[in-house]
């Protein structure tokens, strides 16, 4: 991507201040066309409310405090579920990447469980936990577990064995070897897992909240459907998109900070 | 450091000497006057991988501070011999001894690949070479000194990914040198470099060897590199030392000189004639 950039745009033509804004041109254009289509009556507002109506609905909900409360609840569920599932996945990835015994013991089982779509467990989860917080946390954690587990494992398994041999020759202890060679070597792959997991985290939460919840963004959308408040439904969907983008950006920033050594992240 | 005694090749040249007995061993001590190196004695060394016997009885004495090159065809066991000396593989039979109590920091290896940590800056990579002394107070200054010895003091804060192949290998050399090793084993360290970088790296290797006086063992498939650098060239064939040749040319050596070229030619013809026999 970066190569094509630098090939097709000579430096003199590039406008550095515009660079950061380019990514927003398409979403803004879509919104503009959408607004136009609604205002001209090309799209009936019963089918799709105009962006201005959505913003208005958002403003009303913001004033009532309902919006902030629901976003906060969803955000909290997503983060806690991510933390729980992510840490367990990371721990298993480490254990199975570093120890043959552990891998033999648990990997087959985990691969079997992985092939069950975790959303298929929703009926069971409702029977177990009701529509309590723990039901949502369980589903998010389960969804997040596998991408992080698989990518941590893959990252550790693919650390250059020549570097490990080098570390041993230069007298690194097991702890140092992990800290200075294995973990940094696995980190790019772990980040791939994190970004996958963030996507699955939102997906799981939306589904879980629309099916079984009494608060949160998904619940807000379902309630709005009951009362035919189509602008609120669209608002909820847009907020999910924004939160997803936010989570992805956060992981990108983290990636940039920790993988500064990686040629892909170096400034040209 | 190098005396006038070794100004020329042995009178008769190598071909005649190596011809009459494939296992003829010429034991004449060649070493820098001041050496920190360790002598190396290998007796009856054997090593197999599965059914494949790679080394079939190696007997070898390397005096302290000597620069030995090991040449041979691919798969002849030269790299295995080096890995055994460096302690990277376990000995099946026989012994390797260094005539002294050896610390892990005394023996260092340099590989064909630089094997730098991509996520550590150049100076931190050099510090890795200090082994257990990493945490000591003078670690920083020792690493900086090693880096200037290889001429890369100005690259200390760079990531390895921005360095050229030759520069990476120089950082790897600095990392190997920083602990002041007494034996330095090179496993085709210049194999992946272009011809010009190779020559300047050879000069650098020769210089640090003369400055520091470690015992150097260089595995290479490049016979001209072997005769340009080494005091002594061992030719390994089928897991045994087939020829043991002294190179008495004066240092610093002139590349492409007639005597070195002659020596190179005769070693090459031995390697190739072994090919014809099989």
């Amino acid at each position: 991507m970066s190569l094509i950039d630098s090939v097709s745009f000579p430096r003199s033509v590039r406008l550095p201040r515009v660079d950061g804004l380019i990514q927003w041109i398409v979403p803004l254009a879509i919104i503009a066309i959408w607004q136009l289509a609604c205002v001209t009556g090309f799209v009936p507002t019963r089918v799709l409310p105009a962006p201005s109506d959505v913003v208005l609905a958002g403003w009303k909900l913001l004033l009532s405090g309902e919006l902030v409360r629901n976003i906060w609840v969803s955000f909290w569920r997503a983060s806690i579920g991510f933390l729980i599932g992510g840490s367990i996945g990371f721990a298993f990835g480490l254990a199975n990447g570093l120890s043959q015994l552990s891998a033999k013991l648990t990997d087959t089982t985990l691969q079997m469980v992985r092939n069950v779509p975790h959303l298929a467990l929703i009926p069971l989860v409702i029977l177990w936990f009701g529509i309590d917080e723990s039901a949502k946390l369980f589903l998010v954690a389960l969804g997040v577990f596998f991408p992080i587990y698989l990518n941590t494992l893959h990252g550790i398994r693919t650390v250059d064995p020549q570097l490990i041999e080098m570390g041993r020759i230069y007298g690194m202890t097991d702890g140092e070897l992990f800290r200075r060679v294995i973990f940094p070597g696995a980190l790019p792959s772990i980040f791939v897992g994190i970004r996958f997991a963030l996507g699955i985290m939102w997906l799981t939460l939306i589904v879980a909240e629309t099916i079984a919840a009494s608060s949160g963004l998904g619940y807000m959308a379902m309630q709005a459907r009951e009362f035919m408040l189509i602008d609120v439904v669209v608002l909820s969907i847009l907020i999910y998109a924004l939160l997803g983008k936010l989570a992805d950006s956060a992981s990108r920033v983290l990636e940039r900070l920790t993988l500064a050594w990686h040629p892909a992240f170096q400034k040209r | 450091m190098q005396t006038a005694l070794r100004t020329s090749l042995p009178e008769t040249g190598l071909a005649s000497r190596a011809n009459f007995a494939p296992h003829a061993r010429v034991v004449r001590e060649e070493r820098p006057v001041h050496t920190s190196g360790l002598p190396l004695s290998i007796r009856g060394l054997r090593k197999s991988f599965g059914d494949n016997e790679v080394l079939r009885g190696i007997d070898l004495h390397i005096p302290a501070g000597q620069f030995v090159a090991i040449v041979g065809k691919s798969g002849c066991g030269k790299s295995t011999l080096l890995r055994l000396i460096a302690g990277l593989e376990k000995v099946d039979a026989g012994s390797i001894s260094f005539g002294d109590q050896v610390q892990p920091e005394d023996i260092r290896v340099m590989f064909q690949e630089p094997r730098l940590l991509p996520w550590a800056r150049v100076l931190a990579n050099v510090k890795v070479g200090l082994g257990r002394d990493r945490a000591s107070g003078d670690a920083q200054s020792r690493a900086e000194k090693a880096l200037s010895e290889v001429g890369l003091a100005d690259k200390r804060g760079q990531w390895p990914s921005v360095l050229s192949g030759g520069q990476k290998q120089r950082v790897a050399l600095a990392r190997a040198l920083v602990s002041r090793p007494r034996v330095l084993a090179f496993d085709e360290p210049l194999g992946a470099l272009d011809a010009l970088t190779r020559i300047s790296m050879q000069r650098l290797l020769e210089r640090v060897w003369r400055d520091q006086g470690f015992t150097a063992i260089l595995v290479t498939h490049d016979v001209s590199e072997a005769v340009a650098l080494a005091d002594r060239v061992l030719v390994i064939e089928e897991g045994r030392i087939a020829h043991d040749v002294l190179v008495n040319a004066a240092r610093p050596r002139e590349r492409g000189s007639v005597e070195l070229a002659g020596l190179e030619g005769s070693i090459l013809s031995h390697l190739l004639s072994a090919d014809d026999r099989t």
Side-chain angles (χ1 to χ4, degrees), chain A residues 249-265:
Chain A
S249 303
S251 75
R252 267 172 197 258
V253 168
L254 210 60
E255 214 173 14
R256 241 168 229 286
L257 289 177
T258 50
L259 300 183
W261 55 270
H262 202 284
F265 293 95

Side-chain angles (χ1 to χ4, degrees), chain A:
Chain A
M1 184 180 72
S2 50
L3 184 70
I4 293 168
D5 272 354
S6 53
V7 169
S8 49
F9 298 103
R11 285 208 168 266
S12 56
V13 177
R14 277 175 99 184
L15 301 169
R17 268 181 308 156
V18 179
D19 248 17
L21 302 175
I22 283 178
Q23 51 182 332
W24 295 105
I25 290 179
V26 174
L28 287 175
I30 290 175
I31 290 174
I33 293 169
W34 173 11
Q35 176 76 36
L36 208 67
C38 291
V39 169
T40 56
F42 183 70
V43 176
T45 44
R46 279 176 291 114
V47 177
L48 194 65
S52 52
D53 292 341
V54 174
V55 171
L56 206 66
W59 181 245
K60 278 187 202 149
L61 286 171
L62 196 67
L63 288 183
S64 72
E66 209 178 325
L67 186 64
V68 176
R69 192 173 53 85
N70 282 323
I71 290 179
W72 173 248
V73 165
S74 290
F75 177 76
W76 183 84
R77 283 174 187 152
S79 335
I80 302 291
F82 184 87
L83 274 182
I84 295 173
S87 353
I88 299 174
F90 182 65
F92 269 101
L94 284 190
N96 291 359
L98 297 172
S99 146
Q100 283 295 325
L101 178 70
S102 169
K104 275 185 187 151
L105 203 63
T106 60
D107 191 53
T108 309
T109 315
L110 290 173
Q111 296 295 346
M112 277 196 293
V113 179
R114 182 172 76 92
N115 284 307
V116 178
H118 66 293
L119 293 176
L121 296 180
I122 287 181
L124 195 61
V125 168
I126 293 178
L127 287 178
W128 285 348
F129 300 104
I131 56 166
D132 205 7
E133 284 310 303
S134 39
K136 266 83 74 185
L137 294 186
F138 178 82
L139 281 171
V140 171
L142 192 67
V144 157
F145 172 88
F146 289 105
I148 293 200
Y149 164 70
L150 287 175
N151 285 287
T152 305
L153 180 64
H154 176 259
I156 287 178
R157 290 256 172 95
T158 51
V159 171
D160 186 354
Q162 293 186 333
L163 284 184
I164 296 177
E165 186 182 61
M166 184 281 297
R168 292 219 181 276
I169 295 170
Y170 284 104
M172 289 189 187
T173 60
D174 284 351
E176 275 179 302
L177 203 61
F178 176 74
R179 204 160 36 81
R180 303 201 53 187
V181 182
I182 297 174
F183 182 68
L187 207 53
S189 178
I190 294 174
F191 270 111
V192 172
I194 288 178
R195 290 180 65 182
F196 261 112
L198 286 174
I200 292 185
M201 170 184 89
W202 288 120
L203 176 85
T204 312
L205 196 63
I206 296 164
V207 176
E209 282 185 347
T210 45
I211 291 175
S214 53
S215 59
L217 280 170
Y219 170 76
M220 190 173 91
M222 286 315 280
Q223 284 295 102
R225 183 193 61 96
E226 302 257 311
F227 298 110
M228 288 298 286
L229 299 170
I230 196 164
D231 46 358
V232 178
V233 173
V234 174
L235 177 75
S236 320
I237 293 169
L238 288 181
I239 290 174
Y240 273 125
L242 276 177
L243 287 177
K245 170 72 187 158
L246 207 67
D248 196 58
S249 303
S251 75
R252 267 172 197 258
V253 168
L254 210 60
E255 214 173 14
R256 241 168 229 286
L257 289 177
T258 50
L259 300 183
W261 55 270
H262 202 284
F265 293 95
Q266 274 159 17
K267 289 188 195 82
R268 272 164 290 135

Side-chain angles (χ1 to χ4, degrees), chain B residues 122-269:
Chain B
V122 165
L123 192 70
N125 263 298
V126 175
K127 273 196 210 163
V128 168
L130 287 165
R132 291 171 300 183
D133 294 342
R134 261 189 292 275
S136 70
D138 60 346
Q140 185 83 6
S141 60
R142 284 173 69 184
E144 278 170 17
K145 191 158 161 273
L147 209 50
S148 21
E149 268 167 39
V150 301
L152 287 179
D154 57 326
K155 302 279 187 216
R156 45 173 294 180
Q158 300 278 17
W159 297 114
S161 59
V162 304
L163 302 182
S164 70
Q167 288 173 330
K168 284 181 191 160
Q169 241 356 357
R170 270 147 74 188
V171 175
L173 179 64
R175 180 179 64 190
L177 290 174
V178 71
S179 64
R180 297 276 146 187
R182 302 174 69 187
V183 176
L184 195 43
F186 302 97
D187 191 359
E188 308 207 12
L190 314 181
L193 303 178
D194 65 87
L196 285 176
T197 315
R198 261 182 110 109
I199 291 173
S200 71
M201 276 298 283
Q202 287 171 4
R203 295 215 169 115
L204 179 63
L205 287 187
E206 187 175 20
R207 205 194 71 220
V208 293
W209 170 72
R210 280 163 53 122
D211 287 350
Q212 300 195 10
F214 48 80
T215 307
I217 303 164
L218 168 75
V219 162
T220 179
H221 54 247
D222 181 350
V223 178
S224 74
E225 180 171 292
V227 296
L229 286 173
D231 296 323
R232 179 183 176 192
V233 179
L234 302 173
V235 180
I236 296 197
E237 274 165 21
E238 288 165 13
R240 292 191 183 85
I241 297 176
H243 306 288
D244 186 340
V245 182
L246 284 183
V247 185
N248 282 353
R251 290 182 193 272
R253 288 183 182 159
E254 205 181 309
R255 247 137 277 259
S257 73
V258 179
E259 40 181 333
L260 291 183
L263 196 53
E264 180 188 341
S266 51
I267 293 175
L268 269 175
S269 68

